[in-house]
Amino acid sequence: MPQAQQPLQYVRYSDQIETRQADEEELIDKIVASMGRVNRKVFDRHRHATRDAHAKSHGVLKGELIVYDGLPEPLRQGVFAAARRYPVVARLSSAPGDILSDRVPSPRGMALKLIGVDGPRLLPGRGEARTQDFLLVNHPVIPFGHVHAYWEVQQTMEKHADNPELVRRAVAALARGAGKVADLLHVDHPTLEAVGSPDLHPLGDTYYSMAALRYGDYVAKVSAAPLSENVKRLAGQHVNGDGDSLLRDLVVDFFAAQGAEYELRVQLCTDVQRMPIEDASVVWPESDSPYLPVGKLVFPAQPAYSPARRVYADDVLSFNPWHGIEAHRPLGSIMRVRIKAYEMSSRFRHEMNVRERVEPRSIDEIPD
Ligand code: HEM
């Protein structure tokens, strides 16, 4: 007789769900100071300040998040608590903290900013922001999933910061999961596969929060996957073409003629042993808890990278997992290090480029 399927038991969020490392604050300060030194070197080469990570953008999209109606209770949390629409701005990027050629394969980012979100804020006192950011990368986990592992990698990156060519090659080798780089970085080789980043079309990729966050009464990872047929068709498609800004060209050409839809999905934690919060390098098995749809992102056809839009997204906007509400508190040491890391990177960038930091209150503030 077939077994009746038991409903999944989801882990409840509590303030005790995180575990701080004894030396965590010290490590965080070391990581952030090192990133700052590297960023200043990049600034000195360009005489323009870029992000410490995900410096290069490929497209900036205006659209909407439509939260699905009739979600079951565990999914009806935070910004997904009710069927409604939020204006969204998305910035597509590559991971390095420098403007490299698109011919160097590297992990890709999709940063989302929802506008008009109410609720107790994670970083009160930062103006009148009503935004909720979700930062996603095209791999389910981050190989350096806690502050100890991250500090090891950061030291190597800083050691070679004067040699952008070597860092470029290291990034490319990392992207292929090369063992030699694993030795260089003193990290477990299998975890490096996580940054394996074949040169695929960025609009066909699935993007993940990699680390956990609070999902109202529960705990989850978040992901965006191609939904409309035109971007589904691009999944696994190798990038063809040449040029240092090939990815921008692909994104701009695509959105000049058509729109796209992505589904936002969440994977709820069912077991903190098998789905750890403090080590974001561990894949949460989808056989234990699948990603479940909660809404869709709709981006109409548009000019995806006008000069005004590029400057606004690169120099004026900041995306930050801590821009948001308590109901989506980022969890684990790799998320906690990001409080100071993003603040420092954005402050330096805005100061050096003489730009005010802005959290948009309306989608109309994003230029066409
Ligand atoms: C845990 C998984 C992570 C994901 C999914 C992620 C994703 C991203 C994305 C998509 C961006 C680009 C945002 C934009 O378009 O403006 C970004 C920027 C950035 N990331 Fe991360 N990241 C992660 C972890 C980290 C960690 C551990 C650090 C530092 C220790 C870090 C430091 C930064 C910095 C400094 C920026 C630039 C911020 C700015 O200047 O505005 N990230 N990240």
Side-chain angles (χ1 to χ4, degrees):
M1 276 234 321
Q3 297 281 312
Q5 231 183 348
Q6 293 293 319
L8 291 176
Q9 294 294 315
Y10 299 122
V11 171
R12 291 242 159 206
Y13 172 80
S14 92
D15 291 343
Q16 280 77 49
I17 208 153
E18 292 178 277
T19 314
R20 281 172 192 280
Q21 314 291 308
D23 52 354
E24 185 171 313
E25 279 311 310
E26 193 188 325
L27 277 178
I28 286 177
D29 287 342
K30 284 183 178 172
I31 291 169
V32 172
S34 167
M35 291 184 90
R37 289 190 294 271
V38 174
N39 201 15
R40 280 165 177 70
K41 287 188 177 170
V42 176
F43 169 78
D44 273 338
R45 272 202 304 278
H46 298 297
R47 291 293 167 86
H48 186 85
T50 54
R51 285 163 173 75
D52 242 4
H54 295 265
K56 188 173 186 182
S57 55
H58 309 304
V60 182
L61 303 172
K62 292 208 262 191
E64 237 188 348
L65 167 65
I66 303 175
V67 177
Y68 289 147
D69 200 2
L71 292 175
E73 181 277 331
L75 297 178
R76 249 180 3 245
Q77 307 286 326
V79 297
F80 307 98
R84 57 161 290 184
R85 291 161 183 248
Y86 296 95
V88 170
V89 52
R91 178 177 178 271
L92 301 170
S93 60
S94 284
D98 201 345
I99 308 289
L100 307 180
S101 168
D102 291 349
R103 282 174 288 210
V104 180
S106 66
R108 315 256 174 74
M110 177 191 274
L112 303 171
K113 189 181 288 294
L114 280 47
I115 301 174
V117 173
D118 293 316
R121 303 214 44 97
L122 289 162
L123 300 176
R126 299 258 176 108
E128 294 299 303
R130 287 176 68 219
T131 48
Q132 170 67 53
D133 297 358
F134 293 112
L135 276 63
L136 313 173
V137 164
N138 63 342
H139 197 81
V141 288
I142 176 164
F144 327 114
H146 48 80
V147 280
H148 285 269
Y150 204 93
W151 173 231
E152 292 299 319
V153 176
Q154 181 57 36
Q155 289 173 83
T156 307
M157 296 306 271
E158 180 171 6
K159 202 159 98 198
H160 300 295
D162 283 328
N163 188 344
E165 265 313 303
L166 190 133
V167 175
R168 264 165 74 131
R169 276 187 276 120
V171 171
L174 268 169
R176 293 190 299 272
K180 262 202 299 200
V181 181
D183 296 342
L184 172 75
L185 299 179
H186 308 296
V187 288
D188 289 346
H189 186 204
T191 61
L192 270 182
E193 283 169 21
V195 270
S197 194
D199 229 357
L200 300 179
H201 198 299
L203 298 177
D205 266 335
T206 296
Y207 292 82
Y208 301 85
S209 64
M210 304 200 286
L213 39 93
R214 178 175 178 180
Y215 192 73
D217 291 338
Y218 304 95
V219 172
K221 293 191 180 186
V222 174
S223 160
L227 180 66
S228 54
E229 282 308 318
N230 56 356
V231 277
K232 272 187 177 168
R233 267 199 305 275
L234 299 175
Q237 197 178 100
H238 282 266
V239 162
N240 267 321
D242 213 352
D244 291 329
S245 286
L246 171 64
L247 300 181
R248 176 208 55 198
D249 295 344
L250 288 174
V251 172
V252 168
D253 288 352
F254 182 96
F255 281 101
Q258 55 196 311
E261 294 184 356
Y262 292 84
E263 193 151 62
L264 260 197
R265 313 151 332 143
V266 298
Q267 185 184 32
L268 292 170
C269 180
T270 52
D271 176 346
V272 286
Q273 302 305 323
R274 286 172 59 77
M275 304 167 90
I277 288 159
E278 293 295 336
D279 184 353
S281 72
V282 178
V283 177
W284 288 10
E286 291 192 49
S287 50
D288 287 15
S289 179
Y291 275 97
L292 302 170
V294 288
K296 68 175 172 181
L297 295 161
V298 180
F299 300 112
Q302 57 192 294
Y305 210 62
S306 68
R309 205 178 263 199
R310 176 182 64 78
V311 169
Y312 183 80
D314 283 355
D315 291 354
V316 178
L317 280 188
S318 309
F319 293 82
N320 180 332
W322 290 87
H323 285 167
I325 56 174
E326 260 302 332
H328 297 305
R329 168 175 284 270
L331 301 174
S333 71
I334 210 65
M335 290 295 218
R336 294 189 292 272
V337 66
R338 296 169 80 186
I339 300 180
K340 286 187 181 169
Y342 285 63
E343 168 60 20
M344 184 209 57
S345 170
S346 153
R347 191 174 343 112
F348 180 73
R349 175 161 59 89
H350 285 82
E351 276 175 18
M352 298 315 279
N353 297 338
V354 197
R355 293 285 182 172
E356 208 180 316
R357 285 206 268 180
V358 169
E359 278 303 292
R361 300 170 69 77
S362 152
I363 195 74
D364 298 332
E365 291 173 39
I366 288 87
D368 281 329

